[in-house]
Amino acid sequence: MPYPPYFTEEHDRLRESVRRFVEKEVKPYVDEWEEQGEFPKSILRRMGELGFLGLRYPEEVGGQGGDYFSSIVMAEELARCGAGGFPMAVAVQTEMATPPILKFGTPEQKKQFLEPALRGEKLACLGITEPDHGSDVAGIETRARREGDGWVIRGRKLFITNGPRADFITLVARTSDEPGYRGISLFLVEMDRPGVSVGRKLDKVGMRSSDTAELVFDDVWVPAESLLGEEGKGFYQIMWELQGERMIAAAGAVATAQYAHELALAYAKERRQFGRPIAGFQVVSHLLAEMAVEIEACRQLTYSVAWRFARGEVPSKEISMAKLAASQTAFWVVDRALQIFGGNGYMAEYPIERLWRDVRLNRIGAGTDEIMKEIISKEMGL
């Protein structure tokens, strides 16, 4: 479906390629990955071979040199695999942990961390949230103190996607005694360094095909060159990262809603009650129509904001609007889709129940609904 000026024929070819990959190499295995609580690292290497992990990254760091809407296409097509966990893990790899390396990293850091991540050879994770600090990023307590020609890091991180098996982490830590956001910096830390451990692997309601952990940093020494960007500027750097994270989360949420709508529409046409398909009942047909309207409204909002983001703008209010609207709409649509499925929708053998569990995280991760509303209201001068 064309959406000028957002997509070109090149995007259409990419969409076809990613969709074939999902249908052949992801979708047949998601049930197994869900049961195991993780996907195999080999699938990331396969994505690296196909160039899918570096779509919008410059060729000089191993990317494909595409535009931001290449990432939108990827997010939309991965959402069709029927499980939210794997697309979320890929997004951490391509849209959360690695963009700060491209923007703020040294040539050596890009070679050591970014390039192998884009090849799928190194699994990345992002460490922001802590046991006592989620939405309050400025309050984080993980501490990095200078020691000799390096830093010693001590603290804990929670809800870390890819954490149990990651090769490195883009870590947010406090590097001074200054209160609030002023004393925060970013680090690139190899996960096999002494003192780094998985405190526990977390058992989640949904998104079960990706593994999530609490990570412990017990006096972990890292060299001076592990500092990512400028010391003390980490809060601004991670706030920039979060804008991209929320943007791609909005695109994925809209795509999940679209997929759920397609499932519900097909089911409503096939399921017969009282002698006719349930799609023939006005209560169902009007609900499907209303779902389609809400999805399309969110899609156009997301595309318009992504278009600005792709051109170097960082419209935080509008990004927050897109993320909030898409997350709430996806939750609403998937819940109504399950209702259309009736009792079958509550059974594990039908795909809608997994989408229903997975989509709930959209209203929490990458900034809760409440944080999005707070950003929007502040931008309005309230």
Side-chain angles (χ1 to χ4, degrees), residues 273-299:
Q273 290 291 287
F274 304 102
R276 56 174 169 161
I278 62 173
F281 294 97
Q282 188 180 75
V283 67
V284 176
S285 64
H286 281 196
L287 178 58
L288 287 164
E290 187 177 3
M291 292 158 68
V293 169
E294 296 299 323
I295 293 169
E296 191 60 31
C298 285
R299 180 165 25 234

Side-chain angles (χ1 to χ4, degrees), residues 20-59:
R20 285 195 302 269
F21 166 75
V22 169
E23 288 295 327
K24 181 180 178 181
E25 302 187 46
V26 178
K27 201 169 184 178
Y29 307 104
V30 291
D31 288 346
E32 179 183 345
W33 300 348
E34 287 278 306
E35 292 177 6
Q36 294 175 346
E38 62 185 39
F39 59 88
K41 280 189 172 182
S42 59
I43 195 66
L44 275 189
R45 291 193 293 272
R46 175 61 174 156
M47 293 184 74
E49 293 171 0
L50 294 170
F52 291 161
L53 299 180
L55 289 172
R56 68 179 182 94
Y57 286 79
E59 294 180 6

Side-chain angles (χ1 to χ4, degrees), residues 233-254:
K233 298 297 184 181
F235 181 83
Y236 303 102
Q237 294 166 348
I238 209 63
M239 287 299 106
W240 170 85
E241 179 279 328
L242 281 169
Q243 301 309 310
E245 183 174 340
R246 289 162 184 166
M247 196 72 261
I248 210 68
V254 173

Side-chain angles (χ1 to χ4, degrees), residues 125-135 140 142 155-164 169 171-172 197-204 211-217 361 364-365:
C125 65
L126 177 66
I128 303 176
T129 301
E130 299 179 354
D132 293 325
H133 298 280
S135 299
I140 64 166
T142 295
R156 307 175 81 90
K157 294 295 180 179
L158 189 62
F159 306 140
I160 307 304
T161 300
N162 297 345
I169 183 170
L171 182 73
V172 183
S197 63
V198 176
R200 56 192 173 115
K201 186 174 179 179
L202 303 175
D203 187 13
K204 308 186 299 293
D211 46 359
T212 308
E214 179 180 10
L215 302 178
V216 179
F217 298 85
L361 184 61
I364 300 172

Side-chain angles (χ1 to χ4, degrees), residues 85-211:
F86 178 65
M88 179 176 66
V90 173
V92 169
Q93 182 85 358
T94 62
E95 305 297 331
M96 303 179 200
T98 49
I101 309 176
L102 177 66
K103 188 171 180 67
F104 307 111
T106 64
E108 293 75 20
Q109 289 172 331
K110 293 174 184 177
K111 187 174 184 62
Q112 182 180 356
F113 296 101
L114 179 59
E115 293 183 21
L118 299 185
R119 293 193 297 267
E121 296 170 0
K122 287 187 177 182
L123 181 61
C125 65
L126 177 66
I128 303 176
T129 301
E130 299 179 354
D132 293 325
H133 298 280
S135 299
D136 181 18
V137 177
I140 64 166
E141 297 176 359
T142 295
R143 184 65 186 260
R145 57 180 172 82
R146 289 186 180 275
E147 184 172 295
D149 57 350
W151 299 83
V152 174
I153 301 172
R154 187 175 186 83
R156 307 175 81 90
K157 294 295 180 179
L158 189 62
F159 306 140
I160 307 304
T161 300
N162 297 345
R165 298 179 297 153
D167 296 292
F168 72 90
I169 183 170
T170 303
L171 182 73
V172 183
R174 185 168 297 282
T175 50
S176 81
D177 293 327
E178 290 187 85
Y181 61 86
R182 292 184 179 85
I184 293 175
S185 303
L186 298 187
F187 292 87
L188 294 171
V189 181
E190 300 94 333
M191 293 292 286
D192 60 357
R193 284 192 172 273
V196 180
S197 63
V198 176
R200 56 192 173 115
K201 186 174 179 179
L202 303 175
D203 187 13
K204 308 186 299 293
V205 170
M207 302 290 195
R208 299 185 68 85
S209 52
S210 73
D211 46 359

